[in-house]
Amino acid sequence: MNGEPVVRVENLHLWFGMLHVIRNVSLEVAPQEVVVLIGRSGAGKSTLLRCLNFLEQPSSGSITIDGLRVDIPMGQQPDSRRVRDLRLKTGMVFQEFNLFPHMTALENVIEGLVTVKGMSRDEAIPIGEINLARVGLSDKRDEHPIRLSGGQKQRVAIARALAMEPKVMLFDEPTSALDPELIGEVLSVMKQLAYEGMTMIVVSHEMSFTREVADRVIYMDQGEFIEEGPPDKIFGEASDPRTRQFLERVF
Amino acid sequence: MAVETMTQPGATDQADPYLSMGQELLALDRQRRNIQRLKVSGVWVALVIILAGGLLQLRIEPGYIIEHAGIVLAGVEWTILVSLVSITFATIIALFGALGRLSNNSIAQGISGFYISVIRGTPLLIQIYIIYLGLPQIGQAFGQLGIPLLSSLLTLSAFQSGVLALSINYGAYMTEIFRAGLQSIPHGQREAALAIGMTRGQMLRRVILPQAIRVIIPDIGNQFIAMQKDSALVSIMGLWEVTFRASRFARRDSKFMEMFILAAAIYWVLTIISSWLQEILERRMRHAYER
């Protein structure tokens, strides 16, 4: 893991009114690295993730992804074209899937290629099919989301993000909305992605997944990084009492 | 609805020895509902008979109604034409009005907010007068200033005035319907669209509108039904639609009750037919994305 980091966050702040939700966070993620953010709800994990593609507008700081730097001068709107370019370098998977219900699985996957990247449908369809195959859903290509199980929906959502060839995948609690028996299929797709060398930032409570796949675990509390390290270290011998307390309660 | 889905094949357990019990209950339930419906219809028929009987007692001439039914009924064409054209324009206005209301652009927000406030704050009848009688006056002024084009542009026919007034008026009310429809789409849809790099416009066109339209279309149907009746106001400009025809004969022969009851009945039937069509449309919209 060397070379330029794929993601670099510098001195990021986010305020919701008088709530300081993200407190001066800096983060670098190397190519092919898998970072898992853990922490109690309200700690700012999802918010931080959503700042990376500006679904949440940070209050100040800077975000660089794959060499494209977007500065947020305090209290100002960043350039919207740059924000859009930055979003194209990220793929996001949501807790609630957020598939487009009026499109089939395949149409969901190729939507960005056609509308955003300007490909013709004929060009986009093979790419869509490849990505549906990657998540094991080739046979569902013509189904609307309403006909898919939660696990299948989430896998289509992953395929939709992958089709855009992002430099980093952001997973926002991708299994939290799933029935227990459907979690495995989503996690195994994510594992496979990690082994293929995808750079990933994951907000997750899945202990065994984190142990197996994460290169680095970051424990967050009150909008700050409290402790970070390889999973063995964090889960085995966390040095900060807050981290230990959290891990005891959750796992 | 929920009861009917249970009768679908495969939905019930074939091995259940009490299967007939479920079917019996279902049949009983259906019977009860049919009887109720029959009774309600009976009350309707009774009310119509009482009303008609009462009117006949009061020297209403059914012969006059029958004699003039055809010619008044011919006005339905205009009523429907005015309503159809107006609802089309109103829908377009409402779409832009709603986009303006929801946009971050202060000019668009200001224009749409002002438009809605003025139109909803004034009577439709006054709006019709202003367009039909007021605008030509301004047009004349322009004509005297040597701008004949503007003069003729501002002098509208009865049909054009009616359509313009109804479109602008309903456009304002429907803006709120569109706004609510656009806002009813879950926030996650917006985020998913933005996350794959869409612009605001692409998001609206590809993700939000196609979903919102299913919510909005049944409401457009309701507005169309209401508009058919408001189109009666167009009669003041002498357009040969139902109300104008009815009132003409009513005044000429002093057959007010005869003619206005006839007109009322025509609108009523129109509404019943439109409601029925609207219900079909609504049912189809509800079963979205299931094919």
Side-chain angles (χ1 to χ4, degrees):
Chain A
M1 265 179 275
N2 45 24
E4 272 291 292
V6 179
V7 177
R8 175 183 283 142
V9 177
E10 289 164 282
N11 305 109
L12 201 73
H13 290 268
L14 174 62
W15 290 80
F16 287 155
M18 279 308 291
L19 269 184
H20 202 173
V21 188
I22 302 291
R23 302 175 182 232
N24 198 29
V25 164
S26 295
L27 166 71
E28 283 190 0
V29 181
Q32 310 204 339
E33 194 181 9
V34 176
V35 174
V36 175
L37 298 172
I38 60 170
R40 72 191 72 206
S41 69
K45 309 163 305 236
S46 290
T47 310
L48 174 62
L49 202 69
R50 291 157 54 80
C51 280
L52 296 181
N53 62 357
F54 285 81
L55 287 184
E56 217 67 77
Q57 163 83 57
S59 304
S60 87
S62 87
I63 293 168
T64 311
I65 295 178
D66 188 38
L68 178 72
R69 181 184 169 114
V70 179
D71 287 303
I72 308 108
M74 202 183 91
Q76 288 178 37
Q77 297 277 337
D79 180 51
S80 65
R81 297 255 326 243
R82 281 182 89 83
V83 166
R84 202 146 24 90
D85 289 341
L86 194 86
R87 283 178 178 150
L88 283 174
K89 293 177 181 293
T90 66
M92 186 153 208
V93 176
F94 301 87
Q95 184 177 341
E96 300 290 343
F97 330 129
N98 295 345
L99 288 183
F100 306 132
H102 54 303
M103 301 179 191
T104 63
L106 183 68
E107 286 168 343
N108 263 280
V109 177
I110 66 171
E111 179 58 28
L113 297 173
V114 174
T115 302
V116 179
K117 291 198 169 171
M119 283 187 191
S120 71
R121 252 182 99 84
D122 290 343
E123 282 176 292
I125 284 174
I127 301 174
E129 284 170 338
I130 289 169
N131 282 290
L132 274 180
R134 273 172 99 176
V135 299
L137 287 174
S138 297
D139 55 328
K140 300 289 181 192
R141 54 168 275 169
D142 296 322
E143 297 285 5
H144 279 88
I146 200 167
R147 301 260 178 142
L148 301 176
S149 73
Q152 290 169 337
K153 282 184 205 170
Q154 194 59 297
R155 284 147 69 197
V156 173
I158 293 173
R160 175 175 68 179
L162 288 176
M164 301 297 281
E165 296 183 356
K167 300 294 183 212
V168 55
M169 283 287 284
L170 311 173
F171 291 88
D172 187 6
E173 302 201 33
T175 58
S176 297
L178 295 175
D179 291 336
E181 75 268 23
L182 301 176
I183 290 175
E185 59 189 79
V186 172
L187 290 182
S188 75
V189 167
M190 290 170 65
K191 276 180 206 167
Q192 173 204 326
L193 270 182
Y195 294 138
E196 286 170 11
M198 176 61 79
T199 310
M200 293 164 52
I201 304 177
V202 185
V203 174
S204 178
H205 299 296
E206 296 296 334
M207 172 83 158
S208 67
F209 168 83
T210 305
R211 265 189 191 286
E212 193 179 334
V213 181
D215 296 303
R216 183 157 43 126
V217 178
I218 301 176
Y219 173 68
M220 266 187 96
D221 193 25
Q222 300 195 326
E224 288 176 301
F225 289 174
I226 303 298
E227 189 166 8
E228 57 183 285
D232 289 346
K233 180 172 169 292
I234 296 290
F235 290 133
E237 45 197 285
S239 55
D240 195 286
R242 284 170 292 182
T243 316
R244 278 202 303 270
Q245 202 190 0
F246 169 76
L247 289 172
E248 272 165 28
R249 203 156 350 118
V250 174
F251 298 115
Chain B
M1 280 279 299
V3 180
E4 274 155 15
T5 51
M6 283 173 61
T7 59
Q8 279 169 9
T12 41
D13 186 3
Q14 294 302 321
D16 187 345
Y18 297 102
L19 193 65
S20 62
M21 191 196 237
Q23 287 167 342
E24 229 169 282
L25 283 169
L26 214 60
L28 276 172
D29 194 53
R30 196 171 299 150
Q31 198 182 7
R32 204 175 304 128
R33 269 184 296 155
N34 282 340
I35 289 171
Q36 178 73 9
R37 212 174 294 158
L38 213 66
K39 282 182 183 168
V40 172
S41 312
V43 174
W44 279 46
V45 172
L47 282 173
V48 170
I49 289 173
I50 291 168
L51 274 174
L55 289 172
L56 285 174
Q57 289 300 309
L58 295 168
R59 286 190 291 136
I60 295 293
E61 277 183 42
Y64 188 86
I65 297 181
I66 293 164
E67 204 177 302
H68 292 83
I71 192 152
V72 176
L73 207 57
V76 165
E77 249 175 67
W78 277 109
T79 296
I80 291 180
L81 184 68
V82 167
S83 306
L84 268 182
V85 175
S86 301
I87 200 81
T88 307
F89 285 125
T91 301
I92 296 166
I93 292 173
L95 174 59
F96 285 103
L99 293 180
R101 279 224 108 171
L102 296 175
S103 96
N104 295 324
N105 185 309
S106 47
I107 294 174
Q109 242 181 49
I111 290 176
S112 59
F114 181 78
Y115 159 65
I116 293 165
S117 174
V118 167
I119 297 299
R120 297 214 301 186
T122 52
L124 174 56
L125 185 57
I126 299 291
Q127 292 161 12
I128 291 175
Y129 278 138
I130 287 177
I131 288 170
Y132 186 56
L133 301 173
L135 283 187
Q137 190 186 337
I138 300 177
Q140 267 179 2
F142 276 119
Q144 280 156 9
L145 286 171
I147 317 173
L149 179 73
L150 221 50
S151 167
S152 61
L153 219 60
L154 289 175
T155 310
L156 300 175
S157 73
F159 176 74
Q160 290 167 331
S161 301
V163 165
L164 186 62
L166 283 173
S167 305
I168 290 177
N169 184 274
Y170 272 69
Y173 288 95
M174 286 166 66
T175 291
E176 292 299 296
I177 292 174
F178 271 65
R179 188 180 59 87
L182 292 173
Q183 282 181 331
S184 73
I185 305 307
H187 198 65
Q189 290 292 308
R190 219 184 104 89
E191 295 194 333
L194 294 177
I196 56 172
M198 286 193 192
T199 62
R200 244 183 93 84
Q202 288 168 337
M203 172 189 82
L204 270 170
R205 192 165 44 82
R206 299 287 307 167
V207 177
I208 306 295
L209 271 177
Q211 296 182 63
I213 209 74
R214 290 189 174 267
V215 184
I216 293 168
I217 280 181
D219 280 326
I220 296 178
N222 283 329
Q223 293 297 310
F224 179 64
I225 292 168
M227 189 186 266
Q228 286 174 352
K229 282 153 288 175
D230 275 349
S231 75
L233 284 171
V234 172
S235 65
I236 59 162
M237 297 180 293
L239 190 73
W240 276 78
E241 44 69 76
V242 172
T243 305
F244 180 77
R245 288 169 190 247
S247 64
R248 222 176 118 93
F249 292 114
R251 280 175 225 278
R252 196 189 67 189
D253 301 334
S254 290
K255 298 286 184 194
F256 296 106
M257 200 45 138
E258 284 87 348
M259 282 296 93
F260 288 128
I261 287 245
L262 173 61
I266 291 172
Y267 283 111
W268 189 31
V269 171
L270 267 182
T271 300
I272 289 173
I273 295 171
S274 312
S275 301
W276 174 67
L277 290 173
Q278 199 259 2
E279 219 168 275
I280 294 175
L281 202 67
E282 196 169 340
R283 210 172 305 146
R284 197 171 283 183
M285 290 296 148
R286 217 182 300 136
H287 294 291
Y289 325 129
E290 284 177 11
R291 274 151 292 146

Short mmCIF file of all heavy atoms in Angstrom, two decimals, chain B residues 33-64:
data_model
loop_
_atom_site.label_atom_id
_atom_site.label_comp_id
_atom_site.label_asym_id
_atom_site.label_seq_id
_atom_site.Cartn_x
_atom_site.Cartn_y
_atom_site.Cartn_z
N ARG B 33 -71.89 -6.91 1.11
CA ARG B 33 -71.52 -5.65 0.46
C ARG B 33 -72.44 -5.33 -0.71
O ARG B 33 -72.78 -4.18 -0.95
CB ARG B 33 -70.06 -5.71 -0.01
CG ARG B 33 -69.09 -5.19 1.07
CD ARG B 33 -67.68 -5.17 0.56
NE ARG B 33 -67.22 -6.55 0.27
CZ ARG B 33 -66.26 -6.85 -0.59
NH1 ARG B 33 -65.71 -5.89 -1.31
NH2 ARG B 33 -65.87 -8.09 -0.77
N ASN B 34 -72.83 -6.37 -1.45
CA ASN B 34 -73.73 -6.15 -2.59
C ASN B 34 -75.09 -5.64 -2.13
O ASN B 34 -75.67 -4.75 -2.75
CB ASN B 34 -73.91 -7.45 -3.38
CG ASN B 34 -72.71 -7.70 -4.28
OD1 ASN B 34 -71.95 -6.77 -4.58
ND2 ASN B 34 -72.53 -8.94 -4.69
N ILE B 35 -75.60 -6.21 -1.05
CA ILE B 35 -76.90 -5.78 -0.53
C ILE B 35 -76.82 -4.33 -0.11
O ILE B 35 -77.70 -3.51 -0.41
CB ILE B 35 -77.32 -6.68 0.66
CG1 ILE B 35 -77.69 -8.06 0.13
CG2 ILE B 35 -78.48 -6.06 1.42
CD1 ILE B 35 -77.93 -9.10 1.20
N GLN B 36 -75.74 -3.98 0.57
CA GLN B 36 -75.55 -2.61 1.02
C GLN B 36 -75.55 -1.66 -0.18
O GLN B 36 -76.23 -0.63 -0.18
CB GLN B 36 -74.21 -2.50 1.77
CG GLN B 36 -73.86 -1.12 2.24
CD GLN B 36 -74.71 -0.68 3.42
OE1 GLN B 36 -75.45 -1.50 3.99
NE2 GLN B 36 -74.65 0.59 3.78
N ARG B 37 -74.82 -2.07 -1.23
CA ARG B 37 -74.71 -1.23 -2.42
C ARG B 37 -76.09 -1.05 -3.06
O ARG B 37 -76.45 0.03 -3.50
CB ARG B 37 -73.74 -1.89 -3.41
CG ARG B 37 -72.96 -0.89 -4.24
CD ARG B 37 -71.92 -1.58 -5.09
NE ARG B 37 -70.86 -2.20 -4.30
CZ ARG B 37 -70.08 -3.18 -4.74
NH1 ARG B 37 -70.25 -3.69 -5.94
NH2 ARG B 37 -69.13 -3.67 -3.96
N LEU B 38 -76.85 -2.15 -3.08
CA LEU B 38 -78.20 -2.13 -3.67
C LEU B 38 -79.10 -1.15 -2.91
O LEU B 38 -79.84 -0.37 -3.50
CB LEU B 38 -78.79 -3.54 -3.62
CG LEU B 38 -79.72 -3.92 -4.78
CD1 LEU B 38 -78.93 -3.97 -6.07
CD2 LEU B 38 -80.39 -5.25 -4.48
N LYS B 39 -79.01 -1.20 -1.60
CA LYS B 39 -79.83 -0.31 -0.77
C LYS B 39 -79.49 1.15 -1.04
O LYS B 39 -80.38 1.98 -1.18
CB LYS B 39 -79.59 -0.62 0.72
CG LYS B 39 -80.32 -1.86 1.21
CD LYS B 39 -80.04 -2.03 2.69
CE LYS B 39 -80.66 -3.30 3.25
NZ LYS B 39 -80.14 -3.60 4.60
N VAL B 40 -78.21 1.43 -1.10
CA VAL B 40 -77.78 2.80 -1.35
C VAL B 40 -78.30 3.28 -2.70
O VAL B 40 -78.83 4.39 -2.82
CB VAL B 40 -76.24 2.92 -1.28
CG1 VAL B 40 -75.79 4.30 -1.74
CG2 VAL B 40 -75.76 2.66 0.13
N SER B 41 -78.20 2.40 -3.72
CA SER B 41 -78.71 2.78 -5.04
C SER B 41 -80.21 3.05 -4.96
O SER B 41 -80.72 3.97 -5.61
CB SER B 41 -78.46 1.67 -6.06
OG SER B 41 -77.14 1.24 -5.98
N GLY B 42 -80.91 2.24 -4.17
CA GLY B 42 -82.35 2.43 -4.00
C GLY B 42 -82.67 3.83 -3.48
O GLY B 42 -83.59 4.49 -3.96
N VAL B 43 -81.88 4.25 -2.51
CA VAL B 43 -82.09 5.59 -1.94
C VAL B 43 -81.89 6.65 -3.01
O VAL B 43 -82.66 7.61 -3.12
CB VAL B 43 -81.13 5.82 -0.76
CG1 VAL B 43 -81.24 7.26 -0.25
CG2 VAL B 43 -81.44 4.85 0.38
N TRP B 44 -80.88 6.47 -3.84
CA TRP B 44 -80.63 7.42 -4.94
C TRP B 44 -81.85 7.51 -5.85
O TRP B 44 -82.32 8.59 -6.17
CB TRP B 44 -79.42 6.99 -5.77
CG TRP B 44 -78.10 7.35 -5.18
CD1 TRP B 44 -77.72 7.19 -3.90
CD2 TRP B 44 -77.00 7.94 -5.87
NE1 TRP B 44 -76.44 7.62 -3.74
CE2 TRP B 44 -75.97 8.09 -4.93
CE3 TRP B 44 -76.78 8.34 -7.20
CZ2 TRP B 44 -74.73 8.63 -5.27
CZ3 TRP B 44 -75.54 8.87 -7.54
CH2 TRP B 44 -74.53 9.03 -6.57
N VAL B 45 -82.34 6.34 -6.27
CA VAL B 45 -83.48 6.31 -7.18
C VAL B 45 -84.66 7.01 -6.53
O VAL B 45 -85.35 7.83 -7.16
CB VAL B 45 -83.83 4.85 -7.56
CG1 VAL B 45 -85.13 4.82 -8.34
CG2 VAL B 45 -82.70 4.25 -8.39
N ALA B 46 -84.90 6.71 -5.25
CA ALA B 46 -86.02 7.33 -4.54
C ALA B 46 -85.88 8.85 -4.53
O ALA B 46 -86.86 9.57 -4.79
CB ALA B 46 -86.06 6.79 -3.11
N LEU B 47 -84.67 9.32 -4.27
CA LEU B 47 -84.46 10.77 -4.23
C LEU B 47 -84.75 11.42 -5.57
O LEU B 47 -85.40 12.46 -5.65
CB LEU B 47 -83.00 11.07 -3.81
CG LEU B 47 -82.70 10.92 -2.32
CD1 LEU B 47 -81.21 11.07 -2.06
CD2 LEU B 47 -83.48 11.94 -1.50
N VAL B 48 -84.30 10.76 -6.64
CA VAL B 48 -84.54 11.31 -7.98
C VAL B 48 -86.04 11.36 -8.27
O VAL B 48 -86.56 12.35 -8.78
CB VAL B 48 -83.80 10.48 -9.05
CG1 VAL B 48 -84.24 10.89 -10.45
CG2 VAL B 48 -82.29 10.66 -8.90
N ILE B 49 -86.73 10.28 -7.89
CA ILE B 49 -88.18 10.22 -8.14
C ILE B 49 -88.90 11.32 -7.35
O ILE B 49 -89.76 12.02 -7.90
CB ILE B 49 -88.74 8.83 -7.76
CG1 ILE B 49 -88.25 7.79 -8.79
CG2 ILE B 49 -90.27 8.85 -7.73
CD1 ILE B 49 -88.59 6.36 -8.43
N ILE B 50 -88.54 11.48 -6.09
CA ILE B 50 -89.18 12.51 -5.27
C ILE B 50 -88.96 13.89 -5.88
O ILE B 50 -89.88 14.69 -6.04
CB ILE B 50 -88.64 12.47 -3.83
CG1 ILE B 50 -89.11 11.19 -3.13
CG2 ILE B 50 -89.08 13.70 -3.04
CD1 ILE B 50 -88.42 10.91 -1.82
N LEU B 51 -87.70 14.16 -6.25
CA LEU B 51 -87.39 15.46 -6.85
C LEU B 51 -88.16 15.69 -8.13
O LEU B 51 -88.80 16.74 -8.32
CB LEU B 51 -85.88 15.54 -7.14
CG LEU B 51 -84.99 16.01 -5.99
CD1 LEU B 51 -83.53 15.91 -6.37
CD2 LEU B 51 -85.35 17.46 -5.62
N ALA B 52 -88.14 14.68 -9.01
CA ALA B 52 -88.81 14.81 -10.29
C ALA B 52 -90.31 14.99 -10.08
O ALA B 52 -90.95 15.86 -10.69
CB ALA B 52 -88.54 13.58 -11.15
N GLY B 53 -90.87 14.17 -9.17
CA GLY B 53 -92.31 14.27 -8.89
C GLY B 53 -92.66 15.65 -8.39
O GLY B 53 -93.64 16.27 -8.84
N GLY B 54 -91.87 16.16 -7.46
CA GLY B 54 -92.11 17.48 -6.90
C GLY B 54 -92.09 18.54 -7.98
O GLY B 54 -92.98 19.40 -8.06
N LEU B 55 -91.12 18.45 -8.86
CA LEU B 55 -91.00 19.45 -9.92
C LEU B 55 -92.19 19.39 -10.87
O LEU B 55 -92.70 20.42 -11.31
CB LEU B 55 -89.69 19.23 -10.68
CG LEU B 55 -88.42 19.60 -9.91
CD1 LEU B 55 -87.18 19.17 -10.67
CD2 LEU B 55 -88.39 21.10 -9.63
N LEU B 56 -92.63 18.17 -11.17
CA LEU B 56 -93.77 18.03 -12.08
C LEU B 56 -95.02 18.65 -11.47
O LEU B 56 -95.83 19.27 -12.15
CB LEU B 56 -94.01 16.55 -12.39
CG LEU B 56 -93.01 15.92 -13.36
CD1 LEU B 56 -93.24 14.43 -13.50
CD2 LEU B 56 -93.10 16.60 -14.73
N GLN B 57 -95.18 18.48 -10.15
CA GLN B 57 -96.31 19.09 -9.45
C GLN B 57 -96.29 20.60 -9.59
O GLN B 57 -97.32 21.25 -9.61
CB GLN B 57 -96.26 18.73 -7.96
CG GLN B 57 -96.57 17.27 -7.64
CD GLN B 57 -97.97 16.89 -8.10
OE1 GLN B 57 -98.94 17.58 -7.78
NE2 GLN B 57 -98.09 15.82 -8.86
N LEU B 58 -95.09 21.16 -9.67
CA LEU B 58 -94.95 22.61 -9.69
C LEU B 58 -94.95 23.14 -11.12
O LEU B 58 -94.30 24.14 -11.43
CB LEU B 58 -93.67 23.01 -8.96
CG LEU B 58 -93.70 22.66 -7.47
CD1 LEU B 58 -92.32 22.79 -6.85
CD2 LEU B 58 -94.70 23.55 -6.75
N ARG B 59 -95.62 22.48 -12.01
CA ARG B 59 -95.83 22.93 -13.39
C ARG B 59 -94.52 23.11 -14.16
O ARG B 59 -94.31 24.10 -14.86
CB ARG B 59 -96.66 24.22 -13.41
CG ARG B 59 -98.13 23.94 -13.08
CD ARG B 59 -98.97 25.14 -13.35
NE ARG B 59 -98.67 26.19 -12.38
CZ ARG B 59 -98.51 27.47 -12.71
NH1 ARG B 59 -98.59 27.86 -13.93
NH2 ARG B 59 -98.25 28.35 -11.77
N ILE B 60 -93.61 22.18 -13.92
CA ILE B 60 -92.43 22.12 -14.77
C ILE B 60 -92.82 21.33 -16.01
O ILE B 60 -93.48 20.31 -15.92
CB ILE B 60 -91.28 21.39 -14.05
CG1 ILE B 60 -90.82 22.19 -12.83
CG2 ILE B 60 -90.13 21.11 -15.00
CD1 ILE B 60 -90.17 23.50 -13.17
N GLU B 61 -92.41 21.83 -17.19
CA GLU B 61 -92.81 21.15 -18.42
C GLU B 61 -91.72 20.20 -18.91
O GLU B 61 -90.71 20.65 -19.46
CB GLU B 61 -93.07 22.19 -19.51
CG GLU B 61 -94.43 22.80 -19.47
CD GLU B 61 -94.64 23.77 -20.62
OE1 GLU B 61 -94.22 23.43 -21.76
OE2 GLU B 61 -95.17 24.86 -20.39
N PRO B 62 -91.92 18.92 -18.71
CA PRO B 62 -90.91 17.97 -19.20
C PRO B 62 -90.81 18.02 -20.73
O PRO B 62 -89.74 17.81 -21.29
CB PRO B 62 -91.41 16.61 -18.71
CG PRO B 62 -92.86 16.81 -18.39
CD PRO B 62 -93.06 18.25 -18.06
N GLY B 63 -91.88 18.34 -21.39
CA GLY B 63 -91.87 18.41 -22.85
C GLY B 63 -90.86 19.42 -23.34
O GLY B 63 -90.11 19.17 -24.29
N TYR B 64 -90.80 20.58 -22.64
CA TYR B 64 -89.87 21.63 -23.05
C TYR B 64 -88.42 21.16 -22.92
O TYR B 64 -87.58 21.41 -23.78
CB TYR B 64 -90.11 22.88 -22.20
CG TYR B 64 -89.32 24.07 -22.68
CD1 TYR B 64 -89.81 24.90 -23.68
CD2 TYR B 64 -88.07 24.35 -22.16
CE1 TYR B 64 -89.08 25.97 -24.13
CE2 TYR B 64 -87.32 25.42 -22.59
CZ TYR B 64 -87.84 26.24 -23.59
OH TYR B 64 -87.11 27.31 -24.05
#
